[in-house]
Amino acid sequence: MTQQKYRRFTPAEVVLHALQAIIYITLFLTGFILLLQRTFQIDWISPMSLSILHRIMGIVLIAFVLQVFFTSLITPSFRILWSTIVEALKWRPSDIIWLIKAPFHFLFHRISLPPSGKFNPGQKLNILVVLSTVTGMSLSGIFMLVVPGALLAWYIHIACFICGSILFAIHLYLSLVNPPTSKSITGMITGFVPLQYIRDHHPLCLDEPVPEKNHVHLHRLPAILLGIVVIIILLLGIYVFGPDRFVLQGQQWAQSRGMLSLMPGQLTLSHAEVITERECLKCHNLKSRPASEKCIECHEIIAERIQDSSGYHGKLTGPCTDCHTEHQGPDADIRSLDKVSFNHQQANFHLSEKHASLPCEKCHKVQLPELSMAKTTTKIRYIGIAHDTCLTCHKNFHQDSRTEECLKCHISNSWQREDLTFDHNRDSRFVLRGKHITLVCEKCHNTSSDSGDKLFRLYDFGMECKDCHTDPHAGQFEQKCNDCHSELDWTSPLKKSFHTVDSGFPLDGKHAALTCEKCHIPAKDDSRLSSAKFAGLDTKCRSCHEDPHNAQMSHSCSTCHSEQGWKGMNLLFSHNKHSVFQLDSLHAGLTCDACHINTPQATRYRPIEKHCELCHNAQTLAMQGIMPPKQKLFESDPHWGRLACIDCHDTNITHQSTENYAARCISCHNTLYGKLFYDWSKIFLEYNSKAASLLENDIIQQLNKIRFHNLQMAAPIWKDAINNNIKQTDSGTR
Amino acid sequence: MSLEKYWMLFVKSHVWIAILLCALMLIGCKSFDYLTKIENNFPVAETCGDCHIDIYKEWSQSAHARAFLSPDFKTITQDGSLADCIGCHTPEPQLTPTVPLPRTIYLKDGVTCSTCHLADGKMLGPVQPTGAIHPHPIEVAQNRFTDAAFCGRCHQGTYHQWQETSIKLKKTCQQCHMPSIVRKVTQSKGGISELIVSMEKQITLRKHTFMIYPQSEDQETFELHTAIEEKHIAVELINHLPHSFPTGNFGVQIGVMLVQFFDADNNELQTRRYEFVQELKTNLPSGQSKKWTWDMPQSAAKMKIQLLRHGHSKEKQVELLNREVPLP
């Protein structure tokens, strides 16, 4: 018999209902299994995967809701959803009566319900509860994501879960099991239901007159059967789980007032001993993350550290929960200490290198029970151990009660001499001077104790020279060492005090720079200077110096020479006074060997011809940027061809000063060029001093001829010469 | 519903997603804070050049970019270690009435963008920005950038000469050495930057070439008169620059007047060379003229006059004037 059909739901509603069903069922199942596993401590499906799936579906739900909302604003076919909500909000007094009567109608056939429209009040209630549950779940879910550990979000989520689950169960029962109403399931599959169904259950939708009584047969049997099946499954479940365990878990759950279901894992043992399951708020807050203030109420040492900004914790910012995660089970050590990567220098005790190479257990021992609030745990104590008595680990090598405070002299990084904070001159009665400083300690301080151990005696030593040194002068000077010698060196102060004042030969000028052995020759069989003859030597020049002038001059060396030096400004020789050739200003600036040439016998001083071939080739070539012999490698100097030599060089004066040159620069350019001249003069001086030990003298002379004649050429050539020669000497071709 | 209507429905319902994504993208775009911070970091020219592409190209070939890297400068100042020089060659962005303070970082950029354009965490410029999006704070300081005194902080000698110039000739430094050009302040490299740059308008800006330009039709920098008599030639050169020729207190600037005489077959008969050098007081001050009178060489058919300017190296010279005068 073909029944007449009534369109109950539009295709849009059907599709959306199906999508919602998938989302809600997934969320319900994942959430419920998570809750069950936590409550009964079951390890069935990985909580991580359930949680991730639950969160993803939650986001999908929110996106889905927003999607539907925006689409409904635009398209007419979704407007039906708005009219559904409007319907659900229309409540009349007869709806309340319907709700009161409905449970009795379920039990007693006779009680009839007022007629309903498209949705009966139960369905309207369901719609409203679903709306509020979805909102509540979504908001509390986001709250949980954003503020982990806030308990209020969990309370709301669980409350919504309970409401939603009850109505979900009723919804499923009425649509799938209860025969009178399960006929309407086609409404959510095809969109059509039998017309008779509408007449019976939603008469106000139709234009027909409403019958006084409805003729719905009530089937109580399915409900009873279903109830029995559910109870059997539950009993089976308890049997499989273990009745004793079930009772125990139940007791624990009751003790915790249900909080056991919320915990993602058990507390670590030391916390579990002090905090019971009910006292979540000892660490958690309702609306915010677990606050550090609650942690440091018990962990007083940490609190001190944070207040003083000392130690490892004193330097950290952020809440405790950033590093310490609880609820990992009773055996977990939530201190998350990685012994390999932990930087001890951040803690209060600075580990010197030596201490750092020790394994942690050398100093960090197991915690004594009386020091902890949790009585039964014995973990290793890291923070708050004493660290200022060396002798607990180290032996006292000085074996002297005057040396108990190690840190007076030693540092924690090493025992070595260089690292001692002990200063012999400041802290002992014997002042170390000169060579005494360079000695190793063991030279004076090293004895064995009575038992044969190595002992480092510090006190009670003799302090006269003869206590350690023998007299090499065989009594020439009696034993008054300090008259001539000091601890600096046996030889160093001698010339200054000894020779000039106490001997008959004053050491002037260059003589003062000589080593003693030059004149006081040591005895052949004994190479030490102290064995030489000191008194009674000849003091004439010729007794030490040969005449290099090959008898060209008079015998009296001191007419021209002094001990200050043979040459240069030490030469007392005045060309104009002592020779027949008068030097003019320019010639006076020349070195002697420009005119006085070397011969095999001696430098030729007299007589010589007037050779005045002065070639300043190198300077003029440099100005043109030409390196001898003829390579033009550089740009000409800008002054070349524009200035004459005498514009810079004054031939009427000797030793033209730097100031004079600089003033000439400034007269055409500006003051900064004068400064540039000074700067470069200094640079050339530095180059010269560097080159003195690296380059041959004639190369240095050539380089010095360039200088300001072509600055752009001089700079790279000097650099090149010094750098290249450094390379040469390194390879051993000195 | 038809397929088209379904499609429109789909699009319309997803508009909000698109809006959200766009907002996220724009928020997520990198912050441009670093462009105006001078602390440990400092916007280098290359960073500015990521958006101001044309200006960067011009600047990077200019003498300002070479202020520190120039080999002549490096040699003379021992790699920039002589302190008196680096205040102008690697200046700090801080505005000073006279010589700027030297910087300590990114020296190789020389006189860089930030030197003139960065002040107090804002980028200064002479014109109002026309784009809607400013990646960095912008302040307009037209007076600063159009004033010759701004350049004169470093180029003191030239600025002093400029101050003494007659008002008739007194173009500012920027007018000749940074010629006008109509373009946008930034250029795009494609992608999102194309979108941002397209919002800007093309306005009159200045090229950052900082160059010496040869004589052109719209800039009469030198006036050259030649008077030919029977046996003599008189040549007069008048300097219409607002500063002397050549100018500059540091480095090498040589102005050269090269006069070549050719015969009818283009063989060179004679060359005369006159140098203008400021340090030798032979430079040509602004508004003044220099006259030469020479004997005309026999069989001379053509006279070529060139006015050149070169620095330390003769090879890099700029030709400022080139004229050929036929001779009777």
Side-chain angles (χ1 to χ4, degrees):
Chain A
M1 168 168 115
T2 51
Q3 285 186 321
Q4 279 186 291
K5 298 264 187 212
Y6 177 82
R7 182 170 260 294
R8 177 112 171 98
F9 293 115
T10 64
E13 287 175 293
V14 169
V15 169
L16 289 174
H17 177 265
L19 289 174
Q20 282 184 70
I22 294 170
I23 297 175
Y24 292 155
I25 288 174
T26 317
L27 285 167
F28 172 79
L29 280 176
T30 46
F32 183 58
I33 295 175
L34 268 172
L35 196 61
L36 215 58
Q37 289 192 163
R38 279 189 193 178
T39 308
F40 291 103
Q41 310 287 316
I42 305 169
D43 219 354
W44 181 33
I45 304 178
S46 139
M48 200 66 201
S49 355
L50 284 171
S51 157
I52 289 173
L53 183 59
H54 191 87
R55 287 181 210 196
I56 292 174
M57 287 315 274
I59 304 288
V60 167
L61 173 65
I62 296 171
F64 172 76
V65 168
L66 288 171
Q67 167 87 298
V68 168
F69 174 73
F70 281 110
T71 312
S72 73
L73 294 176
I74 299 162
T75 169
S77 65
F78 275 35
R79 298 267 160 76
I80 192 89
L81 301 170
W82 286 106
S83 54
T84 303
I85 294 179
V86 166
E87 265 292 312
L89 290 169
K90 283 192 197 153
W91 285 79
R92 288 163 298 206
S94 57
D95 293 335
I96 310 292
I97 294 173
W98 193 103
L99 277 178
I100 297 170
K101 276 190 167 179
F104 296 106
H105 169 86
F106 180 71
L107 295 168
F108 301 112
H109 176 92
R110 236 178 295 175
I111 294 176
S112 65
L113 299 169
S116 317
K118 183 172 182 196
F119 295 109
N120 62 44
Q123 288 172 318
K124 287 196 229 178
L125 186 68
N126 186 45
I127 291 166
L128 292 177
V129 169
V130 165
L131 275 173
S132 48
T133 304
V134 166
T135 315
M137 286 296 213
S138 308
L139 290 177
S140 60
I142 293 174
F143 192 359
M144 274 180 213
L145 267 179
V146 168
V147 188
L151 290 182
L152 185 64
W154 286 92
Y155 295 164
I156 296 174
H157 215 75
I158 297 286
C160 287
F161 174 72
I162 294 169
C163 292
S165 304
I166 294 171
L167 273 154
F168 189 41
I170 299 173
H171 182 82
L172 283 177
Y173 174 73
L174 289 174
S175 52
L176 295 173
V177 179
N178 185 36
T181 47
S182 65
K183 283 191 204 110
S184 65
I185 193 81
T186 51
M188 269 309 181
I189 299 172
T190 60
F192 290 95
V193 295
L195 191 57
Q196 189 56 42
Y197 177 79
I198 296 295
R199 283 205 193 102
D200 292 333
H201 289 90
H202 304 277
L204 295 178
C205 290
L206 301 169
D207 285 329
E208 298 168 0
V210 179
E212 276 194 34
K213 281 191 182 170
N214 47 355
H215 304 279
V216 179
H217 293 288
L218 190 63
H219 301 251
R220 279 173 236 150
L221 196 57
I224 296 168
L225 281 175
L226 184 64
I228 292 172
V229 167
V230 166
I231 290 170
I232 289 174
I233 290 174
L234 275 173
L235 286 173
L236 260 175
I238 294 172
Y239 178 69
V240 165
F241 184 68
D244 303 320
R245 197 167 149 210
F246 181 74
V247 168
L248 196 68
Q249 293 284 16
Q251 279 177 334
Q252 265 188 343
W253 190 88
Q255 249 192 334
S256 73
R257 286 196 209 147
M259 294 308 221
L260 204 64
S261 307
L262 285 185
M263 288 211 301
Q266 288 197 304
L267 292 177
T268 184
L269 198 57
S270 38
H271 277 160
E273 290 180 4
V274 196
I275 304 174
T276 62
E277 283 85 5
R278 273 186 250 198
E279 296 169 301
C280 301
L281 289 172
K282 273 229 165 162
C283 299
H284 283 278
N285 290 321
L286 281 180
K287 285 185 275 188
S288 54
R289 292 170 179 242
S292 310
E293 286 75 35
K294 295 198 173 175
C295 305
I296 58 176
E297 271 175 23
C298 293
H299 295 276
E300 286 159 356
I301 295 182
I302 307 284
E304 259 175 49
R305 292 275 188 275
I306 292 172
Q307 208 178 27
D308 300 334
S309 295
S310 70
Y312 178 71
H313 282 89
K315 298 181 186 78
L316 296 175
T317 53
C320 305
T321 47
D322 276 354
C323 300
H324 301 282
T325 344
E326 248 289 24
H327 296 290
Q328 310 243 6
D331 301 321
D333 183 354
I334 63 172
R335 281 184 296 191
S336 69
L337 171 66
D338 182 347
K339 291 186 188 170
V340 175
S341 69
F342 178 71
N343 180 10
H344 210 289
Q345 307 302 44
Q346 293 177 320
N348 260 343
F349 180 66
H350 273 274
L351 285 189
S352 53
E353 282 163 33
K354 278 277 172 78
H355 284 147
S357 62
L358 297 172
C360 311
E361 291 76 30
K362 272 267 177 179
C363 307
H364 293 285
K365 316 253 194 293
V366 171
Q367 178 165 287
L368 299 169
E370 33 300 356
L371 290 173
S372 139
M373 280 174 78
K375 299 298 173 189
T376 57
T377 54
T378 47
K379 294 202 291 225
I380 295 178
R381 191 172 181 76
Y382 288 107
I383 299 175
I385 59 171
H387 49 259
D388 50 343
T389 40
C390 313
L391 292 172
T392 38
C393 303
H394 300 284
K395 220 163 51 160
N396 186 352
F397 274 109
H398 304 303
Q399 286 199 20
D400 192 321
S401 60
R402 292 172 277 195
T403 60
E404 301 262 277
E405 288 178 74
C406 312
L407 291 172
K408 260 196 169 176
C409 301
H410 292 288
I411 60 169
S412 55
N413 209 16
S414 88
W415 299 115
Q416 303 305 319
R417 184 220 171 106
E418 308 83 67
D419 302 316
L420 287 176
T421 55
F422 170 75
D423 182 338
H424 212 289
N425 296 347
R426 178 193 64 196
D427 301 326
S428 83
R429 280 184 302 152
F430 184 71
V431 179
L432 294 181
R433 292 192 199 89
K435 281 264 171 87
H436 285 163
I437 297 176
T438 60
L439 293 176
V440 286
C441 311
E442 283 82 4
K443 275 268 176 178
C444 308
H445 297 275
N446 207 3
T447 40
S448 308
S449 76
D450 300 327
S451 50
D453 291 335
K454 177 175 164 186
L455 172 67
F456 208 78
R457 192 155 70 95
L458 295 182
Y459 293 88
D460 311 320
F461 286 94
M463 302 198 289
E464 303 278 335
C465 307
K466 59 175 165 45
D467 291 327
C468 300
H469 304 286
T470 54
D471 180 11
H473 299 306
Q476 268 183 68
F477 301 106
E478 297 150 32
Q479 280 195 341
K480 296 193 198 151
C481 314
N482 277 327
D483 280 353
C484 304
H485 294 290
S486 78
E487 288 108 319
L488 255 176
D489 198 285
W490 289 117
T491 58
S492 51
L494 290 181
K495 277 165 228 142
K496 292 201 169 59
S497 59
F498 181 90
H499 224 286
T500 307
V501 172
D502 301 324
S503 78
F505 186 71
L507 292 179
D508 294 324
K510 287 263 171 94
H511 286 158
L514 290 176
T515 57
C516 309
E517 288 89 342
K518 279 272 173 172
C519 307
H520 299 285
I521 303 160
K524 278 193 198 135
D525 53 352
D526 188 338
S527 56
R528 286 204 301 174
L529 176 62
S530 47
S531 63
K533 181 173 179 183
F534 286 100
L537 294 179
D538 188 2
T539 56
K540 294 216 193 74
C541 306
R542 253 176 291 136
S543 62
C544 295
H545 299 286
E546 268 182 28
D547 180 5
H549 302 309
N550 206 19
Q552 286 175 67
M553 316 290 188
S554 72
H555 288 297
S556 170
C557 310
S558 53
T559 313
C560 302
H561 296 292
S562 76
E563 288 112 321
Q564 302 301 324
W566 295 116
K567 301 179 193 168
M569 54 187 223
N570 300 314
L571 194 59
L572 303 169
F573 169 76
S574 160
H575 215 286
N576 292 348
K577 236 194 315 187
H578 298 132
S579 86
V580 297
F581 182 72
Q582 303 298 306
L583 296 179
D584 63 19
S585 313
L586 202 54
H587 282 111
L590 293 175
T591 55
C592 311
D593 55 6
C595 308
H596 295 281
I597 313 149
N598 279 334
T599 63
Q601 293 96 356
T603 309
R604 195 171 175 75
Y605 286 109
R606 56 179 172 184
I608 58 167
E609 300 118 40
K610 288 185 191 175
H611 286 292
C612 303
E613 204 183 332
L614 299 167
C615 311
H616 297 287
N617 254 338
Q619 285 86 340
T620 47
L621 284 178
M623 284 199 88
Q624 293 167 76
I626 297 174
M627 275 296 284
K630 284 249 169 90
Q631 289 177 286
K632 178 149 171 77
L633 291 175
F634 295 89
E635 288 288 341
S636 309
D637 186 81
H639 301 90
W640 174 249
R642 300 192 176 98
L643 288 186
C645 304
I646 53 166
D647 286 328
C648 295
H649 298 286
D650 188 345
T651 50
N652 294 322
I653 54 173
T654 54
H655 299 124
Q656 190 171 355
S657 64
T658 318
E659 285 89 348
N660 193 312
Y661 281 118
R664 285 158 194 263
C665 300
I666 295 171
S667 68
C668 287
H669 293 276
N670 53 60
T671 22
L672 280 181
Y673 273 86
K675 276 185 150 190
L676 196 66
F677 185 85
Y678 279 113
D679 284 334
W680 270 101
S681 304
K682 201 168 79 165
I683 292 170
F684 284 128
L685 274 175
E686 283 165 8
Y687 278 150
N688 266 288
S689 68
K690 261 192 218 162
S693 55
L694 299 167
L695 300 170
E696 301 295 330
N697 250 344
D698 47 353
I699 297 181
I700 298 181
Q701 272 186 19
Q702 273 177 40
L703 290 171
N704 277 333
K705 286 193 179 145
I706 310 175
R707 290 172 40 111
F708 290 98
H709 293 113
N710 192 335
L711 210 51
Q712 294 279 7
M713 176 172 157
I717 289 194
W718 263 108
K719 267 205 191 137
D720 208 36
I722 288 181
N723 290 339
N724 283 339
N725 275 66
I726 288 174
K727 287 183 196 144
Q728 278 181 8
T729 52
D730 270 352
S731 67
T733 57
R734 197 190 286 264
Chain B
M1 273 197 278
S2 70
L3 194 63
E4 199 181 312
K5 282 195 178 159
Y6 267 116
W7 174 245
M8 283 313 298
L9 178 66
F10 179 79
V11 165
K12 278 190 237 171
S13 65
H14 285 83
V15 161
W16 68 275
I17 300 176
I19 294 171
L20 194 68
L21 283 175
C22 277
L24 282 174
M25 247 170 46
L26 284 172
I27 294 166
C29 271
K30 58 178 182 172
S31 144
F32 287 93
D33 236 6
Y34 65 94
L35 285 175
T36 47
K37 258 205 202 139
I38 318 173
E39 278 166 65
N40 300 321
N41 52 310
F42 184 95
V44 288
E46 209 180 312
T47 315
C48 307
D50 277 341
C51 294
H52 299 277
I53 295 175
D54 282 355
I55 294 180
Y56 176 71
K57 224 191 282 181
E58 286 157 10
W59 172 88
S60 56
Q61 287 163 353
S62 74
H64 279 173
R66 296 193 299 271
F68 187 77
L69 295 174
S70 144
D72 278 356
F73 175 76
K74 280 198 158 201
T75 314
I76 287 289
T77 60
Q78 282 276 73
D79 286 331
S81 63
L82 298 184
D84 298 305
C85 313
I86 52 175
C88 283
H89 280 262
T90 54
E92 255 210 350
Q94 221 181 349
L95 185 65
T96 52
T98 162
V99 172
L101 298 166
R103 327 192 264 278
T104 47
I105 48 171
Y106 302 135
L107 298 176
K108 67 173 177 54
D109 266 5
V111 180
T112 181
C113 314
S114 306
T115 305
C116 299
H117 288 285
L118 178 59
D120 286 334
K122 287 183 251 198
M123 283 293 175
L124 268 61
V127 293
Q128 281 285 351
T130 55
I133 295 181
H134 302 168
H136 53 69
I138 294 176
E139 198 181 287
V140 181
Q142 197 195 25
N143 290 336
R144 179 205 262 217
F145 289 99
T146 50
D147 192 357
F150 190 58
C151 312
R153 286 157 59 210
C154 288
H155 299 273
Q156 295 193 324
T158 310
Y159 179 61
H160 188 71
Q161 289 169 1
W162 182 87
Q163 283 179 308
E164 321 253 274
T165 302
S166 139
I167 196 100
K168 283 184 280 182
L169 299 172
K170 221 165 178 165
K171 284 190 167 179
T172 61
C173 318
Q174 293 88 337
Q175 284 175 298
C176 293
H177 293 288
M178 300 178 69
S180 303
I181 183 172
V182 176
R183 63 179 175 198
K184 297 185 182 176
V185 178
T186 58
Q187 287 73 36
S188 82
K189 282 191 275 197
I192 294 179
S193 62
E194 185 74 51
L195 185 70
I196 297 174
V197 169
S198 66
M199 291 193 259
E200 272 191 58
K201 296 200 188 69
Q202 296 219 339
I203 45 175
T204 308
L205 300 168
R206 289 202 176 273
K207 284 193 184 181
H208 283 59
T209 44
F210 305 110
M211 248 170 64
I212 297 171
Y213 287 91
Q215 175 107 318
S216 62
E217 283 135 25
D218 50 343
Q219 306 235 54
E220 210 205 39
T221 47
F222 293 98
E223 205 181 307
L224 190 66
H225 295 295
T226 50
I228 303 166
E229 288 132 43
E230 244 185 56
K231 287 195 180 166
H232 306 287
I233 293 183
V235 176
E236 186 184 5
L237 179 73
I238 308 175
N239 179 9
H240 286 305
L241 297 169
H243 53 71
S244 91
F245 171 74
T247 182
N249 285 3
F250 298 97
V252 181
Q253 293 89 1
I254 313 272
V256 176
M257 171 92 151
L258 195 65
V259 180
Q260 289 167 302
F261 291 95
F262 297 95
D263 67 7
D265 303 316
N266 255 346
N267 297 321
E268 197 180 304
L269 296 169
Q270 198 182 68
T271 307
R272 289 184 182 276
R273 190 171 189 276
Y274 183 81
E275 275 194 354
F276 298 94
V277 183
Q278 182 172 288
E279 286 84 3
L280 299 175
K281 316 256 188 304
T282 54
N283 57 331
L284 188 58
S286 171
Q288 295 199 6
S289 70
K290 176 111 185 94
K291 280 204 190 94
W292 298 267
T293 313
W294 296 308
D295 292 330
M296 180 132 64
Q298 276 194 339
S299 67
K302 188 170 71 169
M303 175 170 78
K304 179 167 162 187
I305 301 177
Q306 273 178 302
L307 191 64
L308 308 159
R309 179 235 184 246
H310 66 81
H312 186 223
S313 157
K314 273 212 197 92
E315 274 133 54
K316 286 196 213 150
Q317 57 189 16
V318 179
E319 190 184 79
L320 299 166
L321 196 64
N322 190 341
R323 198 180 292 183
E324 287 192 4
V325 180
L327 302 170

